[in-house]
Amino acid sequence: MPVDPPRPVPAMPRPPSTTAVIAAVGVHLPARVVDVRAAERELAARNPGAVPKVPMVSRLTGVRQVHVLPDSWDASDLAVAAAEKLLAAEGIAAADVDLLLFASASQDMVEPATSHIVAAKLGVRAPVMDVKNACNSVLNAIEVAEALIGAGRYATVLVACGEAPSRGVRQDVPDRATYLLSAPGYTMSDAGAAVLVRRATPDEAGARDAQGRPAPRGILASAFGADSQHWDVGMLPGGGTAHPRDPERTYFEIDGSRLRDAFLALGPDVVLEALERAGVTWDDVALVAVHQVAVAYLDDVRVALCLPPGRTLVTVADHGNVASATLPLQVRTALDSGLVGPGDLVVLVGLAGGISIGAMVVRL
């Protein structure tokens, strides 16, 4: 008589735990600020007939101003400025860094990896690598740092970001079609960011809240996804093998409508998966830091991704689209303003050209 195989025992849900902590966040914003409406008027005067006389970009996006790095600076200098602030504030020496990840859509040059240039300027003598995924570069670098820390390879990882998209914005516009592809670039802004990711201590990994429930500090869970068929909706195509020496392809080419539709079509699954893995609900979350390209899109993004109302911090209006420095900028701003503090839950939601989405649940 055949015997039924034993039923598998259902896996018991594991209590939340962490292997890595986001210990500190630093940001550097260049002092030079450009009014977007004024810049649009200058652009129209420079390119009559091709650029509308009435400023449209600021009106449609809600972006009022952007930051521009000094002429003598590169993306690495922005990353170094942010990293130096972070290391000084935390009392950490360059020798304490086990791994440096340069994470940015921008880069100093095709070769070598910009992480080498950042490390040399900081005096870091540790392994380095670049992590590059458009505006999700920093979020993916934190994912890489957590995985390598969890594997026991490193204890202290410095993620450094230098975004200089102003260098890819077109000022000479030959016709209206070119203007339409260039227009989203006029909201892009320069910034540096740094995130220190380190191994969680036993006390942090096993922490409990006032009611005795598990409340570990650090990265609780994350989830990522991509819909790569839309890779061509936002490009800076020059400098690679496709267009190695064509100066006309060294400027941003972005189909803003297609990019927006592609982002909204991603849906909430990745974000909700991260929450489920972390064992938390929106009621537990103090801040949702979400990538921002325009004020006008924020409500649509919130609805499409099922984000809760009233828990986002708008930075794009006064600081522009700072690419992958966006999430660190929002976290740093929230910390400085007292909106969040130690023990609070933050959800980082990244959206990037390519296109990709990521969500990470972190207890500060």
Side-chain angles (χ1 to χ4, degrees):
M1 183 175 181
V3 178
D4 291 337
R7 293 182 179 181
V9 178
M12 295 295 291
R14 293 185 304 167
S17 185
T18 55
T19 58
V21 169
I22 294 182
V25 178
V27 170
H28 174 79
L29 296 172
R32 181 186 170 196
V33 175
V34 174
D35 181 274
V36 175
R37 291 173 64 87
E40 287 187 85
R41 292 191 185 98
E42 292 177 10
L43 192 70
R46 182 171 179 167
N47 303 275
V51 177
K53 292 182 179 180
V54 177
M56 297 298 295
V57 173
S58 181
R59 178 183 299 180
L60 293 174
T61 64
V63 178
R64 294 187 287 267
Q65 59 186 24
V66 296
H67 298 270
V68 179
L69 80 169
D71 291 342
S72 61
W73 280 36
D74 292 318
S76 60
D77 295 302
L78 292 166
V80 168
E84 286 179 337
K85 288 182 183 179
L86 182 153
L87 295 175
E90 296 297 306
I92 294 174
D96 298 325
V97 175
D98 299 326
L99 173 69
L100 186 147
L101 303 177
F102 178 77
S104 180
S106 303
Q107 58 190 24
D108 283 14
M109 56 190 71
V110 174
E111 288 289 348
T114 305
S115 53
H116 287 290
I117 304 172
V118 173
K121 291 177 178 179
L122 284 173
V124 169
R125 299 180 63 84
V128 303
M129 71 176 84
D130 283 10
V131 176
K132 186 177 180 67
N133 185 20
C135 295
N136 272 344
S137 297
V138 166
L139 194 60
N140 285 132
I142 297 172
E143 177 192 19
V144 170
E146 181 201 17
L148 290 173
I149 289 170
R153 295 293 303 276
Y154 304 101
T156 303
V157 180
L158 178 63
V159 176
C161 167
E163 292 289 13
S166 66
R167 297 281 168 86
V169 175
R170 185 186 288 273
Q171 299 300 326
D172 294 311
V173 185
D175 50 49
R176 184 58 61 89
T178 303
Y179 167 74
L180 292 175
L181 284 177
S182 304
Y186 300 123
T187 66
M188 290 184 174
S189 185
D190 302 337
V195 180
L196 187 69
V197 187
R198 62 161 174 77
R199 183 181 298 138
T201 67
D203 286 346
E204 290 169 334
R208 293 181 175 272
D209 63 15
Q211 286 73 43
R213 297 170 299 193
R217 183 190 180 199
I219 300 170
L220 302 183
S222 59
F224 291 85
D227 190 358
S228 299
Q229 64 178 322
H230 300 295
W231 67 267
D232 63 340
V233 299
M235 300 184 293
L236 204 165
T241 58
H243 305 282
R245 296 172 186 87
D246 185 351
E248 286 300 305
R249 308 309 294 272
T250 59
Y251 303 105
F252 285 105
E253 301 174 12
I254 303 171
D255 187 327
S257 296
R258 283 183 63 205
L259 186 62
R260 174 181 177 273
D261 291 344
F263 280 159
L264 297 181
L266 288 170
D269 290 352
V270 165
V271 179
L272 298 179
E273 179 184 345
L275 288 175
E276 183 178 358
R277 287 180 177 178
V280 301
T281 69
W282 286 124
D283 291 338
D284 303 312
V285 175
L287 172 71
V288 182
V290 60
H291 182 64
Q292 299 173 10
V293 300
V295 177
Y297 293 172
L298 287 178
D299 282 342
D300 290 342
V301 169
R302 183 183 62 78
V303 172
L305 301 184
C306 294
L307 307 181
R311 267 171 270 186
T312 54
L313 180 65
V314 179
T315 53
V316 69
D318 291 328
H319 301 296
N321 176 3
V322 293
S324 70
T326 298
L327 301 184
L329 172 61
Q330 289 178 38
V331 172
R332 186 68 262 167
T333 302
L335 287 166
D336 291 343
S337 66
L339 184 63
V340 297
D344 284 334
L345 277 178
V346 174
V347 177
L348 309 177
V349 180
L351 298 166
I355 62 173
S356 69
I357 181 172
M360 184 173 288
V361 183
V362 180
R363 191 183 306 277
L364 299 175

